[in-house]
Amino acid sequence: MPPSVPSLPRRVAHILRTSLFVQVLCALVLGIVVGKLWPDFAADLKPLGDGFTRLIKTIISPLVFCVVVVGIAKAGDLKAFGRIGLKALIWFEVASTLALVIGLLAANVVQPGSGMHVDPSALDASAVDAKTGGGSLPSTTEFVVNAIPTSFIGAFAENSLLQVLILACLVGAALLHLGHTKVPQVLPAVEQAQEIIFAVVGFIMRLAPIAVFGAMAVLIGQYGLGVIATYAKLIVLCYVAAAFFIALLAVALRMVTGLSLWKFLRYIRAEMLLALGTASTESVMPRVMQKLRKAGARDDAVGLVLPTGYSFNLDGASLYLSIGTLFIAQAVGVDLSLGQQITVILVLMLTSKGMAGIPGSAFLALSATASSLGAIPAGAVALLLGVDRIMDSMRVVTNLLGNCVAVFAVSRWEGALDLEKARKVLDGETEDVKGAAPEVPARQAKETVTEAG
């Protein structure tokens, strides 16, 4: 007898049970429906997304520490690690500056704020203070000093990626200096801890659809769909500019590595959808690190470039800030000269580097830019309060892809990329990430964790 073919309902149920991408997609749609129909109820769902993000943040620091320490120790060359860091910083500066320039050019051509004739005195400047909590961006000196840990445990407690990176580099260098003969048990212990953390990631990722549902319902319930019509010109411009920048990333990736950004996007489609739903790239960092390692990038390159990019390579934020600055100026009737626009780029090159992890950082950067120009009223920044959350999707996608492309490019330059393995993985010729619990049926979870450990 021929083998029986599963019925359509059983096949659909199997896909829903095993595919993280489908689960998150369904949660995204359901969240939009609930937010639209029951906005008051949707507001109460905020803890779902916040709780998931808190769980992810608890494991990011130890994961980055383990990956970097193992990467340095296995590479056996601290100088190579230094070269990777230097090349990454060069890439970050070029990419983020290009994003700023593209944003300014787009805003000058389209003029999204022209004709609005907004009276700055009619805007509620205190709303910006409420959004930012009255905080401020650190100066360059403060940013550098704050990157230096005051204690080993404190770096992890504060969840400061830059501090954890410095500690990991020091520990990795110490392991290289002492050698395996003096501390033979340390590196295996760190590797085992890394595998445990990846298994924990698998468990937490099972909650991803719930987090996306809650976050999307809150977004639609709080802001509604009407804001899209009000700021349509600005929103479309930002997303088109981001699409153009991503196309440039695809060209750069093809030229440097020969890899396809479209295939990579398909490879991380579940993580990308999760980042969109939660409006956070941090929520997917552990999984993306796994997948980049799976795709042939060496541990030391992944462990250094990706976390550093979260602080230094915010391409989507750079696009938004440059367009947003000109939008505000045009809306209040201020005509910025070429010299003032160059000042905008220079100021944002500095302020955009200290944004990560600071509440309302985009508004702080915009306020700092407006103050440096002296021509735009500080209260005019409140114009973007209603549309900022809608821009999160653009910023998240662009930031995440920009950092992933940086990992591949820097790895290729340093000879830390297995191109053959990368092509096979992106073509779907190998199995999914080891220990990725959300992609397997629940009944196989025990076997998956066993393999991961």
Side-chain angles (χ1 to χ4, degrees), residues 109-441:
V109 172
V110 178
Q111 299 278 320
S114 62
M116 294 185 69
H117 306 298
V118 175
D119 180 6
S121 61
L123 297 172
D124 183 11
S126 63
V128 177
D129 292 333
K131 178 77 173 180
T132 60
S136 62
L137 291 176
S139 64
T140 303
T141 302
E142 290 173 337
F143 180 73
V144 173
V145 171
N146 290 339
I148 302 174
T150 55
S151 72
F152 200 98
I153 302 300
F156 292 88
E158 296 173 9
N159 210 18
S160 172
L161 281 182
L162 292 181
Q163 292 184 12
V164 171
L165 275 173
I166 290 176
L167 289 175
C169 291
L170 292 174
V171 173
L175 285 178
L176 284 180
H177 176 70
L178 293 173
H180 299 301
T181 56
K182 291 187 177 181
V183 284
Q185 302 300 321
V186 174
L187 183 58
V190 176
E191 289 183 291
Q192 291 167 14
Q194 177 180 277
E195 292 301 321
I196 292 173
I197 294 171
F198 278 133
V200 173
V201 171
F203 297 145
I204 296 176
M205 290 299 287
R206 293 183 181 278
L207 302 175
I210 299 175
V212 169
F213 165 71
M216 188 54 58
V218 171
L219 169 62
I220 301 301
Q222 183 175 356
Y223 295 100
L225 299 176
V227 68
I228 297 178
T230 305
Y231 290 90
K233 195 174 182 180
L234 175 63
I235 294 171
V236 170
L237 175 61
C238 286
Y239 277 83
V240 170
F244 177 72
F245 182 81
I246 291 172
L248 293 181
L249 286 178
V251 173
L253 181 64
R254 177 70 74 176
M255 291 177 62
V256 175
T257 67
L259 300 176
S260 166
L261 185 61
W262 170 250
K263 290 182 178 179
F264 177 74
L265 186 57
R266 184 179 61 189
Y267 173 56
I268 63 164
R269 61 188 182 276
E271 290 73 26
M272 187 61 73
L273 199 60
L274 173 58
L276 284 170
T278 58
S280 169
T281 52
E282 284 188 339
S283 66
V284 297
M285 180 193 278
R287 275 280 290 185
V288 171
M289 290 182 74
Q290 280 181 291
K291 288 203 164 183
L292 287 169
R293 293 164 71 237
K294 176 76 173 178
R298 210 166 64 195
D299 281 10
D300 52 345
V302 174
L304 180 61
V305 178
L306 189 67
T308 307
Y310 272 57
S311 293
F312 287 91
N313 192 40
L314 304 175
D315 298 327
S318 297
L319 271 170
Y320 172 63
L321 290 173
S322 56
I323 293 175
T325 301
L326 261 69
F327 168 79
I328 293 169
Q330 293 161 4
V332 298
V334 174
D335 185 20
L336 297 180
S337 65
L338 177 60
Q340 288 174 316
Q341 294 193 34
I342 292 175
T343 301
V344 169
I345 293 178
L346 295 176
V347 172
L348 289 177
M349 283 174 63
L350 295 175
T351 56
S352 63
K353 300 298 184 293
M355 289 175 56
I358 299 176
S361 55
F363 291 97
L364 292 173
L366 287 169
S367 299
T369 306
S371 299
S372 66
L373 292 174
I376 304 175
V381 175
L383 269 174
L384 293 176
L385 282 171
V387 75
D388 184 68
R389 183 60 179 81
I390 303 296
M391 297 298 186
D392 277 341
S393 298
M394 178 275 290
R395 291 193 293 247
V396 162
V397 170
T398 311
N399 288 345
L400 185 57
L401 288 180
N403 286 319
C404 290
V405 169
V407 171
F408 280 122
V410 174
S411 298
R412 175 61 172 163
W413 287 339
E414 190 54 35
L417 177 64
D418 186 340
L419 275 177
E420 184 65 25
K421 184 178 181 181
R423 291 192 182 98
K424 286 184 178 179
V425 169
L426 298 189
D427 287 337
E429 297 178 14
T430 59
E431 295 180 359
D432 195 15
V433 177
K434 183 179 180 183
E439 300 295 345
V440 299

